[in-house]
Amino acid sequence: DVKVTQSSRYLVKRTGEKVFLECVQDMDHENMFWYRQDPGLGLRLIYFSYDVKMKEKGDIPEGYSVSREKKERFSLILESASTNQTSMYLCASSFFTGGMALAKNIQYFGAGTRLSVL
Amino acid sequence: DAKTTQPPSMDCAEGRAANLPCNHSTISGNEYVYWYRQIHSQGPQYIIHGLKNNETNEMASLIITEDRKSSTLILPHATLRDTAVYYCIVRVGAGNNRKLIWGLGTSLAVNP
């Protein structure tokens, strides 16, 4: 079974703190993703990575950065946490299949980290 | 900018089939339709996907209309554990910029 593990289920941080959210996958997937999920807004893509040291901005990258030093690990960094970054954060991974016509780009998700910034 | 439309909520009796509709009228010819579900306090879980033909796996069946503008996810014998939010989503972009566009999904309540 694919396993995507997020380091914490719950985190409470203070405004201005630097926050690291860690995600590890054990299926040798090329792609990794960070989303945030808020009521009424659904899942929104923050950043994704298709290879080690590669990263691409998603729909809402402002206030976040990412790091992918190893294939299995993808970190989300909040340089200076703010209250509007209180949210559920979800990490996902998938194989890179190459080309629009290929079918399997199934994303596997971790259980999520619920972050509260006070 | 979700490219799919789903009813916000549905109810289903335990043991009956749950039919969850999705409109994706702007889908292009080479885009797949994916279905995921999210049980409370967990991450989303993949269910099934399809392009043109109907698909079936151990979890569900997917019926895609001939014009590909809509689809229906069928849970043939819903159980209480199927209570979840169900997302119908499409993939956009190309190459390294492909991503899934998530809407708000349908909250399915399976009642005893």
Side-chain angles (χ1 to χ4, degrees), chain B residues 82-98:
Chain B
D82 292 321
T83 292
V85 178
Y86 287 78
Y87 297 96
C88 164
I89 51 183
V90 297
R91 190 175 64 175
V92 298
N96 296 332
N97 290 316
R98 288 172 300 166

Side-chain angles (χ1 to χ4, degrees), chain B residues 26-105:
Chain B
T26 60
I27 196 170
S28 61
N30 57 359
E31 284 182 12
Y32 284 79
V33 179
Y34 293 78
W35 283 82
Y36 285 73
R37 74 178 183 184
Q38 186 173 23
I39 295 170
H40 183 62
S41 296
Q42 297 182 22
Q45 174 193 23
Y46 166 80
I47 301 172
I48 199 167
H49 71 286
L51 182 63
K52 294 181 183 177
N53 301 319
N54 299 336
E55 303 286 345
T56 296
N57 65 18
E58 65 278 4
M59 291 182 70
S61 296
L62 175 61
I63 309 296
I64 302 174
T65 57
E66 197 168 335
D67 63 8
R68 302 210 329 117
K69 293 186 176 181
S70 66
S71 60
T72 300
L73 180 76
I74 301 171
L75 308 178
H77 306 286
T79 71
L80 299 179
R81 285 175 292 185
D82 292 321
T83 292
V85 178
Y86 287 78
Y87 297 96
C88 164
I89 51 183
V90 297
R91 190 175 64 175
V92 298
N96 296 332
N97 290 316
R98 288 172 300 166
K99 57 184 180 180
L100 297 176
I101 302 295
W102 295 75
L104 295 179

Side-chain angles (χ1 to χ4, degrees), chain B residues 6-19:
Chain B
Q6 299 176 255
S9 63
M10 293 183 64
D11 286 296
C12 177
E14 188 178 17
R16 304 297 293 269
N19 298 298

Side-chain angles (χ1 to χ4, degrees), chain A residues 53-116:
Chain A
K53 297 192 185 295
M54 305 302 288
K55 60 185 179 184
E56 294 286 341
K57 292 181 179 179
D59 299 316
I60 51 164
E62 296 78 18
Y64 303 94
S65 61
V66 290
S67 173
R68 186 131 181 240
E69 296 296 319
K70 293 184 178 181
K71 191 175 186 180
E72 67 270 19
R73 187 180 296 271
F74 193 35
S75 303
L76 180 69
I77 304 155
L78 287 65
E79 294 288 341
S80 177
S82 63
T83 54
N84 63 11
Q85 292 178 310
T86 291
S87 186
M88 168 70 88
Y89 289 88
L90 290 159
C91 174
S93 70
S94 72
F95 284 114
F96 177 73
T97 52
M100 289 286 284
L102 294 176
K104 280 203 168 179
N105 200 337
I106 299 163
Q107 292 190 14
Y108 297 88
F109 284 82
T113 296
R114 189 166 292 283
L115 173 67
S116 296

